[in-house]
Amino acid sequence: MELKEETPQDVNTPPAEVPPLRRIVVESETVPIRVGDYAGPPDPEYGREPWQLQAGLDGEPVWVEERMRTEDLSIAYGEKLAVKGVDLEVNSGEVLALIGPSGCGKTTLLRSLNRLVELTPAAKRTGRIILDDQDVDGFDVTQLRSRVGMLFQQPNPFPMSIFDNVAYGLRERGSKKPRRKQLEPIVVDALERAGLWDEVSSNLNHPALALSGGQQQRLCIARSLAVSPEVLLLDEPCSALDPISTGIIEETIVELRTEVAIVIVTHNLQQAARVADRVAFMYLGDMVEYGPAGQVFGDPREERTREYVGGGFG
Amino acid sequence: MSIEVRTAAPGPRPPQPDPTDPRPRPQPGQARHSGWSISDRVGLAAAWACGIALCVAAASIVGFMAWKGVQYLQLEMLTSSPEASMDQSKSGGFLDPLVGTLLLTVIGIAIAIPVGVGIAVWLTEYGRPAGLARLVESGVEVVAGTPSIVLAIFGLLVFQQTFMGIFSFTAEGGSVFGRSFLTAGSMMALIALPLVIGSTREALNSIPRHVREASYALGKDKASTIRRVLLPSARSGIATGATLGMGRICGDTAIVVVLLGASMQTTPESGPLGLLRGTGSTLTSYVYNNSPSGEGNAPEKAYAAAFVLLMIVLLLNFAVGLIGKRNKPQWN
Ligand SMILES: Nc1ncnc2c1ncn2[C@@H]1O[C@H](COP(=O)(O)OP(=O)(O)OP(=O)(O)O)[C@@H](O)[C@H]1O
Ligand SMILES: [Mg+2]
């Protein structure tokens, strides 16, 4: 079957087969997480030892390193505590899935990582959030948000051309306006990494809102990638999409994790199992369990995790 | 497989007829209102009649004006200025009022768009302190509800102040005339303003919150989000409001009579911007002055001008429908 974006008639006929993913749950359980046995020199860019390495897609080692960390993070909406004293690590080279029942604070936690939660006047945050050893409160918020990108549940390209959408975050950064020529390589690269380039290369000037839902969501990924974030936050990115688009996006996520630390909120446990290296289970604002995906799904330590995860895997 | 298998989802049972109910039961194929009481039927019939009456009224306005217009409208009326003459064949055309209508509309809307969009953006995107926002909202409502003759008299009061002399002309004795395209145009802006504000706010409110957040999440601040995402998204709403506003400006008479002078010909002042500081007339005041209801007695030209005015306004309304359908970004 050829992989193509859904056309109106495709939407009504369910896809005959879901495109194969490169990794499935069984595989992610058996991917060896080799701690500290990397033979090569420390990456000069980071100037410190990697704390662990794990096999990437093709068995190549993937650099895994802490990017973000929360310390005793609590968020309250007025009187109501939505997140209660959460300690969480977000590593580059990994996909972290946040799972848990509705209303347990996943979105709130995610939105606090790029300080988007500050837009809600009632929200109060205590505890620390660290990005690359610096407290995010010390960052200029625009700078923080270009380092910690976010994708939303509904695809939301801006009403402008495909090119301008991807270039949106790059413009107005300095005092000089970058020209289209200068932006083009970055835009093309972002579209390629988001797996959209082949479909839109000939119509970069078409309006973005004319794309299909799945293409729009990948355009939003490209838009985030263009400002080269270190962390990408995804809040139920596939819940508005059909199975084929979901498959393509999951594949993109798995590929991207070698360059960007990814946190994905999902209600779909199969999806979490397909894409995640590490899983955090939340319940009523508490971080109940945090560990490698294989362990959380295969052998949860906590009873509540077992109940929740058990429901998803029969 | 048996064809009797029911595939429909089990839903609530449709209400079953009560066998003890003495009223006649509606039979399949019988009118759907058969169970209605007399007063319901009368009400429904009245609603129908009113709707049809409105259609008849609209059709007769357009039809009557078109009939008169086609009968009396000549091309040279659109290209010649009005002349003072009791003889209808020598009283010229209505070029000046036509140009006056267009000029006044452009001035009014050119003021109303930036001010209205600014107010709408402030109200929807900032709106703080809340008390001030409520005050602004009621201000908009007051302006929207004020009859245009009151706005006109108020405008005259304002623009006849000595320091307002630059907007019209100052007579030898130092009294300010107060009437000009600029002064009339700024009062016309007040007429269009509530419409621009209303449809811009509606357009901004229909943009989902996550679209704004997507821009913030890319490191943009509020100002550039408004400029680069929200205003472009609201473009068709702004255009709709502006077009509605232009229709209102075209059709207003009171402000023209009081503040534009409603002079027969456009009479510019001297100096730069003389045209804008001078007086003139519009199609509305021309129709008024030439119709038997006014002081004039050139009903044929009044009909022709009224027809042209009606066409302009209908064209604007048609444009509103067109703009509303197109260019409106749709997020699911
Ligand atoms: N803006 C807000 N004002 C007040 N309370 C809020 C607000 N947003 C969320 N909450 C509350 O905080 C709690 C956590 O909400 P949150 O959206 O983070 O949950 P979630 O895990 O993302 O749920 P879902 O899976 O349904 O998206 C909920 O009880 C919710 O009622
Ligand atoms: Mg949520």
Side-chain angles (χ1 to χ4, degrees):
Chain A
M1 192 182 87
E2 198 185 280
L3 266 189
K4 59 183 168 82
E5 274 305 313
E6 73 274 39
T7 50
Q9 57 269 38
D10 283 343
V11 172
N12 294 325
T13 52
E17 71 187 76
V18 175
L21 277 167
R22 302 228 178 141
R23 294 190 317 155
I24 53 168
V25 58
V26 183
E27 198 185 336
S28 87
E29 267 183 71
T30 54
V31 166
I33 297 180
R34 295 168 291 153
V35 179
D37 67 347
Y38 178 55
D43 192 320
E45 210 181 306
Y46 297 117
R48 56 194 164 107
E49 298 287 328
W51 68 265
Q52 74 179 33
L53 284 158
Q54 71 178 42
L57 288 180
D58 311 314
E60 286 167 33
V62 176
W63 201 273
V64 174
E65 190 183 34
E66 181 192 296
R67 275 274 93 81
M68 279 194 108
R69 177 172 84 239
T70 70
E71 291 173 0
D72 197 25
L73 176 72
S74 297
I75 297 152
Y77 294 105
E79 295 290 291
K80 187 181 189 309
L81 262 180
V83 173
K84 302 171 186 166
V86 166
D87 294 302
L88 183 77
E89 278 158 26
V90 178
N91 303 319
S92 64
E94 283 189 344
V95 176
L96 168 66
L98 282 180
I99 59 170
S102 188
C104 68
K106 305 181 294 293
T107 298
T108 307
L109 175 60
L110 201 69
R111 287 165 59 93
S112 70
L113 296 181
N114 63 352
R115 288 173 57 189
L116 210 55
V117 79
E118 289 171 13
L119 297 178
T120 313
K124 290 275 172 297
R125 171 167 73 84
T126 58
R128 299 204 323 145
I129 303 172
I130 314 286
L131 172 65
D132 287 337
D133 296 329
Q134 279 176 286
D135 196 311
V136 294
D137 289 334
F139 281 95
D140 175 33
V141 75
T142 52
Q143 197 198 352
L144 170 71
R145 287 178 189 158
S146 56
R147 290 175 65 176
V148 182
M150 187 163 198
L151 201 68
F152 297 78
Q153 186 170 357
Q154 298 293 334
N156 51 13
F158 302 132
M160 45 180 92
S161 73
I162 293 172
F163 184 95
D164 287 340
N165 260 280
V166 182
Y168 179 79
L170 300 166
R171 291 197 161 124
E172 293 174 50
R173 281 190 131 180
S175 50
K176 263 193 298 175
K177 269 195 177 170
R179 292 219 201 88
R180 185 175 168 127
K181 266 248 151 46
Q182 296 168 284
L183 295 173
E184 196 149 332
I186 309 176
V187 169
V188 171
D189 179 56
L191 285 168
E192 275 172 352
R193 291 203 286 158
L196 190 60
W197 173 247
D198 294 338
E199 290 153 70
V200 301
S201 56
S202 57
N203 41 18
L204 288 179
N205 292 321
H206 286 210
L209 281 162
L211 295 172
S212 77
Q215 288 173 321
Q216 287 185 8
Q217 196 64 310
R218 278 180 285 149
L219 181 67
C220 293
I221 296 180
R223 187 173 67 183
S224 301
L225 291 177
V227 296
S228 37
E230 296 154 47
V231 182
L232 199 52
L233 311 172
L234 316 174
D235 194 353
E236 301 181 41
C238 302
S239 61
L241 304 182
D242 64 290
I244 290 189
S245 304
T246 301
I248 297 172
I249 288 189
E250 285 178 5
E251 203 170 336
T252 309
I253 292 170
V254 171
E255 275 168 24
L256 284 174
R257 88 197 207 291
T258 56
E259 11 182 342
V260 191
I262 291 175
V263 187
I264 178 171
V265 168
T266 178
H267 278 285
N268 182 336
L269 293 180
Q270 271 80 10
Q271 179 175 62
R274 282 193 296 266
V275 302
D277 302 288
R278 206 165 283 272
V279 173
F281 170 65
M282 290 188 70
Y283 188 76
L284 295 179
D286 287 312
M287 172 80 57
V288 175
E289 187 153 356
Y290 173 77
Q295 177 253 307
V296 174
F297 286 129
D299 179 25
R301 296 206 181 89
E302 298 288 329
E303 187 53 37
R304 275 176 300 184
T305 317
R306 195 183 305 277
E307 279 167 18
Y308 184 74
V309 169
F313 287 90
Chain B
M1 203 207 295
S2 158
I3 47 159
E4 266 139 37
V5 170
R6 286 218 155 166
T7 49
R13 253 160 68 92
Q16 297 299 309
D18 178 4
T20 60
D21 190 348
R23 284 175 302 172
R25 237 175 263 157
Q27 298 301 313
Q30 200 176 334
R32 138 171 65 110
H33 315 298
S34 55
W36 287 30
S37 71
I38 293 291
S39 60
D40 286 349
R41 286 165 194 242
V42 170
L44 181 66
W48 265 87
C50 292
I52 288 173
L54 180 78
C55 289
V56 170
S60 38
I61 292 170
V62 175
F64 184 71
M65 290 321 296
W67 178 55
K68 288 287 190 189
V70 171
Q71 201 173 346
Y72 299 128
L73 184 62
Q74 283 146 16
L75 202 60
E76 55 262 34
M77 288 184 190
L78 298 176
T79 56
S80 57
S81 294
E83 302 293 342
S85 168
M86 291 303 284
D87 184 353
Q88 275 208 51
S89 64
K90 289 192 188 124
S91 63
F94 42 83
L95 173 66
D96 291 34
L98 183 61
V99 173
T101 293
L102 300 181
L103 184 59
L104 196 61
T105 307
V106 168
I107 295 171
I109 210 66
I111 299 172
I113 290 177
V115 177
V117 169
I119 292 175
V121 166
W122 184 78
L123 281 174
T124 44
E125 304 302 317
Y126 296 90
R128 239 161 259 280
L132 182 60
R134 266 200 301 279
L135 208 67
V136 171
E137 274 177 348
S138 9
V140 173
E141 267 161 40
V142 167
V143 169
T146 307
S148 70
I149 186 73
V150 178
L151 286 179
I153 296 291
F154 167 75
L156 199 60
L157 202 71
V158 170
F159 288 110
Q160 279 184 336
Q161 302 300 314
T162 318
F163 64 95
M164 291 291 192
I166 44 160
F167 295 114
S168 53
F169 87 96
T170 312
E172 307 250 316
S175 68
V176 175
F177 191 49
R179 301 174 181 86
S180 74
F181 274 103
L182 282 179
T183 61
S186 39
M187 285 299 129
M188 287 296 195
L190 283 183
I191 287 192
L193 200 60
L195 296 161
V196 175
I197 293 175
S199 54
T200 306
R201 287 186 74 183
E202 199 181 315
L204 289 173
N205 282 329
S206 74
I207 303 171
R209 198 167 54 114
H210 62 85
V211 173
R212 293 172 174 78
E213 289 178 346
S215 173
Y216 300 145
L218 284 162
K220 298 296 175 180
D221 56 17
K222 201 157 186 163
S224 59
T225 301
I226 290 171
R227 192 155 47 86
R228 303 233 0 246
V229 176
L230 300 185
L231 287 182
S233 308
R235 213 161 25 200
S236 81
I238 296 169
T240 302
T243 316
L244 288 170
M246 294 201 291
R248 286 284 299 280
I249 295 177
C250 286
D252 192 81
T253 320
I255 290 177
V256 179
V257 171
V258 175
L259 272 178
L260 192 59
S263 56
M264 191 168 57
Q265 293 183 351
T266 308
T267 36
E269 291 302 310
S270 58
L273 299 180
L275 178 62
L276 299 183
R277 293 172 59 222
T279 56
S281 62
T282 65
L283 288 171
T284 54
S285 69
Y286 181 86
V287 171
Y288 173 71
N289 284 337
N290 285 287
S291 70
S293 65
E295 50 220 53
N297 55 354
E300 296 182 4
K301 288 192 177 148
Y303 282 129
F307 173 66
V308 172
L309 179 63
L310 184 67
M311 286 299 111
I312 293 177
V313 173
L314 287 183
L315 212 69
L316 285 173
N317 282 357
F318 180 68
V320 169
L322 224 60
I323 296 165
K325 283 199 197 85
R326 284 195 204 164
N327 309 323
K328 190 161 186 280
Q330 302 265 261
W331 292 274
N332 24 349

